[in-house]
């Protein structure tokens, strides 16, 4: 969700994307976030998430295996995520999509479409920073699967 503005985050993500190019076709798809006032009612929050969810789902193909990043999702270790990614590739799910929601989270429709929900802990992180953290963890997964000492 949203455009990445901070130069230092763009640089970090670009570095990991370059490293990932040895292992996979890595692509980031940005979807516009819905403009909303700072204070929203519960109904307004749901509406914003629904609009953003429609934008997200319009970019997701049926064959993709989808990880939704959600604070209540299942936490994994780096090794666990690496094993999942390797297993998905082995069993015909080579198109893997990770979805990071906007500041209000993900809509019910996106969560229903997801094959699994993943959490990076109970911390709340800006979605721009989460993009960098996720990109690094995807790279780390490939390095673990390659037997690289990067993970140590």
């Amino acid at each position: 969700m949203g455009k990445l503005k901070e130069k230092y985050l763009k640089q970090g993500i670009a570095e990991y994307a370059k490293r990932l190019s040895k292992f996979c076709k890595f692509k980031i798809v940005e979807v516009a976030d819905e403009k909303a006032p700072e204070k929203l009612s519960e109904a307004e929050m749901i509406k914003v998430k629904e609009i953003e969810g429609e934008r997200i789902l319009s970019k997701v193909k049926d064959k993709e295996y989808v990880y939704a990043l959600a604070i209540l999702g299942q936490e994994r270790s780096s090794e666990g995520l690496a094993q999942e990614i390797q297993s998905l590739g082995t069993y015909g799910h080579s198109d893997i999509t990770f979805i990071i929601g906007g500041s209000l989270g993900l809509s019910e429709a996106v969560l229903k479409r997801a094959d699994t929900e993943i959490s990076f802990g109970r911390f709340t992180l800006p979605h721009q920073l989460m993009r960098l953290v996720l990109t690094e963890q995807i790279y780390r997964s490939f390095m673990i699967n390659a037997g690289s000492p990067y993970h140590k």
Side-chain angles (χ1 to χ4, degrees), residues 74-85:
Q74 181 184 11
E75 291 184 28
R76 286 149 171 86
S77 65
S78 295
E79 297 88 352
L81 181 60
Q83 185 177 34
E84 280 183 42
I85 288 173

Side-chain angles (χ1 to χ4, degrees), residues 90-123:
T90 300
Y91 295 103
H93 294 286
S94 58
D95 293 333
I96 302 171
T97 297
F98 291 87
I99 298 175
I100 302 171
S103 59
L104 300 176
L106 293 168
S107 70
E108 284 301 314
V110 172
L111 294 174
K112 283 182 181 162
R113 168 57 183 91
D115 294 287
T116 189
E117 293 179 31
I118 187 170
S119 174
F120 280 72
R122 306 243 349 185
F123 289 113

